[in-house]
Amino acid sequence: MSKRAQLTLTLIIVGCIAAIVAGSVTLSNNMHTAEALPTNNLLVNGGAELGGYYQDGVPQLFVAKYWRAWWHETDTRPEYKIAEYAIDRHRIHSGTKAHQWFNNYATHTAGIWQRVDGLSVGRQLTLNGWVQAWSASHDNPRVSDGKYRLRVGIDPYGGTDPESLDIVWSETVQPYDQYFELTVSTIARSDRATVFVWGQAEWPMKHNNAYVDDLSLVQEGEPEPTPTPNPTSTPTVTPTPDPTTPTPVPTVTPLPPDLVDQIATETHNRIVKSLGEALILAGEFLLLEAAP
Ligand SMILES: [Ca+2]
């Protein structure tokens, strides 16, 4: 193999290795955003990445945009704040933010809700979300010794009462200090539906925190049927070609036999001549190589 060929091959191999290494680096950098929300997600800001706003202008209610906080008036109102990756990455499921509500030395029953419009009655709705709790008598953020329960639900009638018996709830879980995926499905009973997240701190621990991320609501099933074409409309008539004027089929004119023979002979002679010249050149090269 010539030096040039060796260099080319080396460059190709180095290029391939560089591409593989670059791909690995990109993958590891994006690992925290690997859990992409479905493209047909009907919820807005389900992952809290769009940040928050002060609900009703209350400083303690910094709720994720497009969501509303709710709490039981008979219990303590928790504080709402967006959880940040920079503060504690373990509280974020994807991206750099998550929903959060909490209080200290107090119990609460509280959560968030969002309503969506434009649904089709009878189609299946599936809600998915990731939840975790920190319920602790101390300040270690990796250990919980309290009791906190979480669930997600759908009101298929679009109501906004978190106490409504219309809400179809997922299972109730207690995922302490790590994210757990919850899913619930029901059938749309209206052209709108409301999604709820429900969290309950049972004991007045020093810390009672709920974290929620990557909420999605998807409308499943068959798409809307295509409207039937208007039967009164006149179909467009494609003009029929005139049968009396058929398109002429192109014909191939054969070459005269003499001309064919002449072309063949000339081609043959050219090939023989080129081959002879190549052999002479090769011979001269070998003689030069063999010369002392
Ligand atoms: Ca997020």
Side-chain angles (χ1 to χ4, degrees):
M1 190 184 299
S2 72
K3 287 221 160 47
R4 189 184 175 81
Q6 279 178 344
L7 183 64
T8 308
L9 189 61
T10 309
L11 284 172
I12 289 167
I13 290 165
V14 168
C16 288
I17 291 167
I20 290 163
V21 170
S24 311
V25 170
T26 307
L27 191 67
S28 73
N29 284 346
N30 290 338
M31 276 183 80
H32 212 73
T33 54
E35 298 283 345
L37 288 165
T39 51
N40 52 348
N41 183 13
L42 300 170
L43 299 176
V44 183
N45 202 18
E49 299 303 314
L50 299 178
Y53 72 104
Y54 293 105
Q55 182 171 313
D56 305 325
V58 180
Q60 292 79 23
L61 296 178
F62 192 65
V63 183
K65 286 175 189 173
Y66 305 101
W67 291 84
R68 292 286 295 182
W70 66 267
W71 59 90
H72 279 192
E73 295 288 355
T74 53
D75 208 337
T76 317
R77 185 191 72 191
E79 189 172 333
Y80 285 74
K81 195 185 279 183
I82 303 293
E84 298 282 350
Y85 185 90
I87 294 170
D88 188 351
R89 64 189 179 92
H90 293 281
R91 305 303 189 190
I92 312 299
H93 183 253
S94 79
T96 60
K97 301 178 196 301
H99 306 265
Q100 176 186 210
W101 57 92
F102 62 96
N103 53 13
N104 304 106
Y105 300 111
T107 58
H108 63 250
T109 300
I112 52 174
W113 64 265
Q114 183 178 123
R115 185 162 64 186
V116 299
D117 299 308
L119 303 176
S120 301
V121 175
R123 285 178 67 182
Q124 181 170 286
L125 299 171
T126 297
L127 169 62
N128 197 79
W130 294 80
V131 297
Q132 71 161 282
W134 179 37
S135 183
S137 60
H138 46 72
D139 294 327
N140 184 341
R142 301 286 168 266
V143 180
S144 288
D145 55 355
K147 190 168 184 185
Y148 200 105
R149 298 188 296 158
L150 284 154
R151 61 182 176 174
V152 298
I154 306 168
D155 182 342
Y157 295 92
T160 56
D161 177 9
E163 296 288 297
S164 171
L165 296 177
D166 291 331
I167 300 173
V168 180
W169 293 104
S170 69
E171 60 178 318
T172 304
V173 293
Q174 299 179 54
Y176 296 113
D177 308 308
Q178 59 182 345
Y179 269 112
F180 185 91
E181 186 175 19
L182 284 175
T183 301
V184 66
S185 293
T186 190
I187 302 297
R189 303 293 178 196
S190 156
D191 63 351
R192 57 189 189 177
T194 312
V195 160
F196 292 91
V197 183
W198 179 98
Q200 186 175 66
E202 196 164 325
W203 301 332
M205 310 300 288
K206 183 175 183 182
H207 299 282
N208 272 322
N209 291 41
Y211 302 92
V212 182
D213 205 353
D214 290 337
L215 291 157
S216 67
L217 181 72
V218 173
Q219 183 172 231
E220 294 171 309
E222 292 300 310
E224 286 292 295
T226 313
T228 313
N230 188 351
T232 58
S233 65
T234 313
T236 311
V237 179
T238 313
T240 313
D242 187 354
T244 58
T245 56
T247 311
V249 179
T251 53
V252 179
T253 311
L255 290 170
D258 289 346
L259 188 58
V260 172
D261 286 342
Q262 190 188 334
I263 290 168
T265 308
E266 279 176 13
T267 308
H268 174 261
N269 290 343
R270 275 198 209 116
I271 290 167
V272 169
K273 187 168 177 278
S274 303
L275 201 59
E277 283 168 351
L279 283 169
I280 290 161
L281 273 172
E284 281 173 0
F285 177 76
L286 285 170
L287 282 170
L288 279 168
E289 285 286 295

